[in-house]
Amino acid sequence: AQSVTQPDIHITVSEGASLELRCNYSYGATPYLFWYVQSPGQGLQLLLKYFSGDTLVQGIKGFEAEFKRSQSSFNLRKPSVHWSDAAEYFCALLFGNEKLTFGTGTRLTIIP
Amino acid sequence: KAGVTQTPRYLIKTRGQQVTLSCSPISGHRSVSWYQQTPGQGLQFLFEYFSETQRNKGNFPGRFSGRQFSNSRSEMNVSTLELGDSALYLCASSLQTTSSGANVLTFGAGSRLTVL
């Protein structure tokens, strides 16, 4: 069965510092991969997606993610975080017409 | 272009009651999915509807049901509410895209249900 693992439950980063959120997946083939962000009391907003092709994908709000097949990973990065980036981040996996499977999320706290 | 609209945004019910949540997808989107989000279980898939037919179903008891109308709007119903049903219920719509079948879900803001 497909699964998504986000090993970090909570990460604290200083404003202006770089960020990397980890995501690993388990599936027999290459899935479609997504990163979503959720602000308190809100729904999920799509940051970026990977379907195929270039393994480095750019998203909104200055985020990027790199797909590494050898490591079954799809880590999210941002070179310089802003206080408004504080939120919960979810990695998700989809294969074919199956349901979107989410990781448990990583809560990001930004300190001044 | 309007996003995914969920109503009501907040509601409080008591155990044993039932509740109906509504979701209006983005215009032109024919697929609607529902997810339950709780602190303990995270995001769990409830069901997906496409062209008024349930296409996928998650591992939830029969108290959870849904339907989709001809205009793609969807409702989900939870009967005989339990305390554990307290959650944020998220609806997402998608446009069935390429032959690869990849769906990009756009989520609504959710309906927060509290069961007392």
Side-chain angles (χ1 to χ4, degrees):
Chain A
Q2 58 197 45
S3 66
V4 180
T5 302
Q6 293 181 249
D8 303 306
I9 296 174
H10 184 205
I11 283 183
T12 299
V13 177
S14 298
E15 190 168 14
S18 64
L19 171 70
E20 182 168 25
L21 302 182
R22 295 183 291 166
C23 173
N24 292 94
Y25 69 90
S26 173
Y27 198 74
T30 299
Y32 303 120
L33 293 160
F34 306 81
W35 275 99
Y36 283 86
V37 61
Q38 184 178 36
S39 297
Q42 298 299 313
L44 301 171
Q45 181 183 22
L46 179 68
L47 284 175
L48 46 77
K49 59 186 182 292
Y50 172 77
F51 287 170
S52 65
D54 192 349
T55 57
L56 184 64
V57 293
Q58 302 297 321
I60 62 171
K61 304 185 179 187
F63 285 92
E64 67 177 26
E66 185 172 14
F67 170 65
K68 293 186 177 180
R69 186 191 310 273
S70 61
Q71 299 176 19
S72 297
S73 69
F74 188 57
N75 294 348
L76 181 72
R77 301 194 294 248
K78 187 170 184 177
S80 176
V81 297
H82 185 261
W83 64 266
S84 60
D85 294 324
E88 187 142 23
Y89 292 79
F90 292 92
C91 181
L93 173 160
L94 174 70
F95 186 77
N97 281 329
E98 297 296 319
K99 59 180 172 63
L100 198 61
T101 300
F102 287 90
T104 50
T106 298
R107 184 162 62 93
L108 176 64
T109 298
I110 308 294
I111 56 176
Chain B
K1 194 174 189 182
V4 178
T5 303
Q6 292 189 245
T7 56
R9 288 292 314 278
Y10 303 91
L11 65 167
I12 300 173
K13 294 285 187 179
T14 57
R15 280 180 298 175
Q17 287 187 309
Q18 73 163 12
V19 65
T20 299
L21 308 178
S22 179
C23 173
S24 293
I26 291 173
S27 177
H29 285 195
R30 295 168 63 192
S31 172
V32 173
S33 300
W34 289 89
Y35 287 80
Q36 181 197 63
Q37 185 178 25
T38 60
Q41 299 298 317
L43 283 152
Q44 293 189 288
F45 173 77
L46 281 157
F47 23 67
E48 184 218 354
Y49 287 87
F50 181 81
S51 292
E52 302 180 65
T53 301
Q54 187 180 86
R55 194 160 62 173
N56 280 311
K57 188 177 188 303
N59 188 27
F60 277 82
R63 300 185 297 106
F64 291 81
S65 63
R67 58 178 176 169
Q68 186 180 33
F69 302 95
S70 58
N71 61 358
S72 293
R73 190 177 71 85
S74 177
E75 289 181 348
M76 67 162 283
N77 183 276
V78 188
S79 63
T80 319
L81 284 166
E82 301 176 358
L83 295 179
D85 297 332
S86 294
L88 181 66
Y89 290 88
L90 292 165
C91 168
S93 73
S94 66
L95 176 65
Q96 199 71 38
T97 54
T98 67
S99 59
S100 67
N103 282 307
V104 179
L105 299 188
T106 301
F107 284 83
S111 293
R112 182 163 296 281
L113 170 65
T114 301
V115 182
L116 302 177

